[in-house]
Amino acid sequence: MKIISGTVWALLLTACSPAPSGVLAGAKHAPIEATSLATADIDASHGSIAGLRIGMTKDQLVATGYTIIERLVMQEGDEYVVMDVSLGSDAIIECWFDDGRIERLRTTAEGMSDDKGIGVGSTLAELKAAYPGGRLITGNEDGRRYANFVSHSNVVFEMDRDALPQACFHDESGCDTRPDLRVRGVVMHSGPAG
């Protein structure tokens, strides 16, 4: 009888215990619809995109209630856990983890911008006007071409590589850029980039 009643108490305690991170089982937070995204969804001062923050743990991310797909990515010889967070209406935020916390956020979703109105779809001319100290850097690292606008902050604007001549990826000084070159992705890092 003691064994059975002890087992019943253990089951009751387990069933009544709070879920990890203090979230009740089954409790969901309503995801943000793409149409309700605020004008400054890319917040460099707080290290966040659409409210998802650099430094969040997996448990904190899961507790948001968003649909999440986890995958592993090899980059420069290292394996990263990446969790793709769906905000609805094709708005995806990639959350790159290092040591159990978000180290980098990335999105290619249109409709989100920083406090200067810059986001996916903005032009190089708009970037230069908003960030006069910024610069476009291009190159080819380990077979991966890149074209990024950096402004000595933790935000990097990935530019449309396909709209640039091949010379841009071999010799930065020979890169002829057009002012209508567009942002195709925004990356928030844990520290300053470029």
Side-chain angles (χ1 to χ4, degrees):
M1 186 67 165
K2 287 184 181 182
I3 294 173
I4 294 172
S5 65
T7 303
V8 170
W9 279 110
L11 288 172
L12 277 172
L13 286 173
T14 302
C16 296
S17 296
S21 303
V23 177
L24 293 176
K28 294 274 183 190
H29 299 277
I32 299 172
E33 294 298 323
T35 55
S36 69
L37 293 173
T39 55
D41 294 304
I42 301 166
D43 185 350
S45 64
H46 292 100
S48 68
I49 297 179
L52 303 177
R53 295 179 331 276
I54 295 290
M56 288 177 83
T57 65
K58 282 185 182 182
D59 287 344
Q60 290 170 324
L61 187 60
V62 169
T64 65
Y66 291 117
T67 301
I68 297 171
I69 297 173
E70 184 173 342
R71 58 191 167 97
L72 296 176
V73 175
M74 288 296 292
Q75 191 173 63
E76 298 173 1
D78 293 322
E79 186 175 70
Y80 292 91
V81 171
V82 178
M83 297 180 90
D84 295 327
V85 179
S86 175
L87 303 180
S89 299
D90 298 324
I92 304 286
I93 309 294
E94 295 176 6
C95 302
W96 292 64
F97 282 82
D98 190 27
D99 291 328
R101 295 191 173 273
I102 295 176
E103 178 268 333
R104 179 181 348 159
L105 297 164
R106 180 179 180 272
T107 188
T108 58
E110 294 185 15
M112 287 185 263
S113 61
D114 65 9
D115 60 338
K116 297 180 185 217
I118 302 296
V120 173
S122 296
T123 65
L124 181 59
E126 293 167 331
L127 276 166
K128 287 181 175 181
Y131 299 99
R135 63 190 172 95
L136 178 67
I137 57 171
T138 61
N140 189 332
E141 187 175 309
D142 298 328
R144 288 188 5 232
R145 298 179 319 149
Y146 61 89
N148 298 324
F149 186 88
V150 296
S151 62
H152 305 291
S153 75
N154 57 340
V155 179
V156 173
F157 297 95
E158 298 175 330
M159 306 306 290
D160 183 4
R161 296 182 308 260
D162 298 332
L164 290 170
Q166 286 298 316
C168 291
F169 305 104
H170 302 293
D171 179 17
E172 197 172 321
S173 63
C175 187
D176 182 31
T177 59
R178 301 182 337 238
D180 65 341
L181 182 66
R182 298 214 175 258
V183 174
R184 69 170 180 86
V186 179
V187 182
M188 176 86 59
H189 291 271
S190 58

